[in-house]
């Protein structure tokens, strides 16, 4: 899975094998091995690749199909904070209402 995802991301960004190898300070043949499936990147390399491509290690490893994780505010499964303080349920409701109203306003403005 990782080889396919690396290849797709690289092609989408129109980066060369050499460019990525240079960014990671590895040989071009090493990176090419990752894309062909001949070599498996170390955990540290997977982390660096995720950062370079702007995605998550879970996406690269095939644990999720979402390139970027998302949080559904109407049913948060994580503790949300703003400035280090927990966001209350009331604040989430107000935020969601604001976003919905703004989106509706934008629709009618066009």
């Amino acid at each position: 899975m990782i080889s396919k995802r690396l290849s797709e991301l690289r092609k989408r960004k129109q980066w060369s094998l050499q460019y990525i190898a240079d960014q990671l300070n590895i040989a071009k043949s090493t990176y090419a091995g990752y894309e062909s499936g001949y070599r498996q990147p170390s955990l540290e390399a997977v982390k660096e690749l995720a950062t370079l491509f702007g995605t998550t290690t879970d996406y690269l490893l095939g644990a999720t199909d979402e390139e970027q994780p998302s949080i559904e505010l109407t049913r948060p499964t994580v503790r949300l904070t703003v400035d280090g303080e927990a966001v209350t349920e009331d604040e989430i409701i107000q935020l969601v209402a604001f976003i919905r109203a703004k989106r509706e306003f934008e629709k009618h403005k066009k």
Side-chain angles (χ1 to χ4, degrees):
M1 178 60 73
I2 192 166
S3 60
K4 180 180 178 198
R5 296 248 163 118
L6 289 174
S7 178
E8 288 171 356
L9 289 167
R10 180 181 59 79
K11 289 174 183 173
R12 193 175 320 143
K13 291 187 177 286
Q14 298 180 345
W15 290 347
S16 68
L17 294 170
Q18 187 64 58
Y19 174 78
I20 296 172
D22 290 346
Q23 298 304 302
L24 300 175
N25 285 326
I26 60 175
K28 178 181 168 185
S29 60
T30 300
Y31 180 75
Y34 297 164
E35 279 197 18
S36 70
Y38 176 74
R39 291 176 179 246
Q40 290 297 311
S42 67
L43 292 177
E44 187 59 34
V46 171
K47 182 179 160 189
E48 290 174 8
L49 286 160
T51 300
L52 180 64
F53 283 115
T55 190
T56 64
T57 56
D58 280 353
Y59 177 74
L60 290 180
L61 296 171
T64 181
D65 288 331
E66 291 183 36
E67 284 186 46
Q68 290 296 319
S70 62
I71 297 170
E72 177 58 46
L73 285 178
T74 57
R75 291 185 284 9
T77 58
V78 296
R79 181 173 174 259
L80 301 174
T81 62
V82 172
D83 299 328
E85 291 185 41
V87 176
T88 67
E89 190 174 337
D90 265 359
E91 289 172 325
I92 291 172
I93 290 168
Q94 292 170 358
L95 178 61
V96 170
F98 170 77
I99 293 169
R100 287 177 176 157
K102 184 177 181 303
R103 287 177 178 171
E104 196 62 33
F105 175 77
E106 293 295 324
K107 277 187 209 172
H108 289 60
K109 192 169 89 169
K110 293 178 183 180

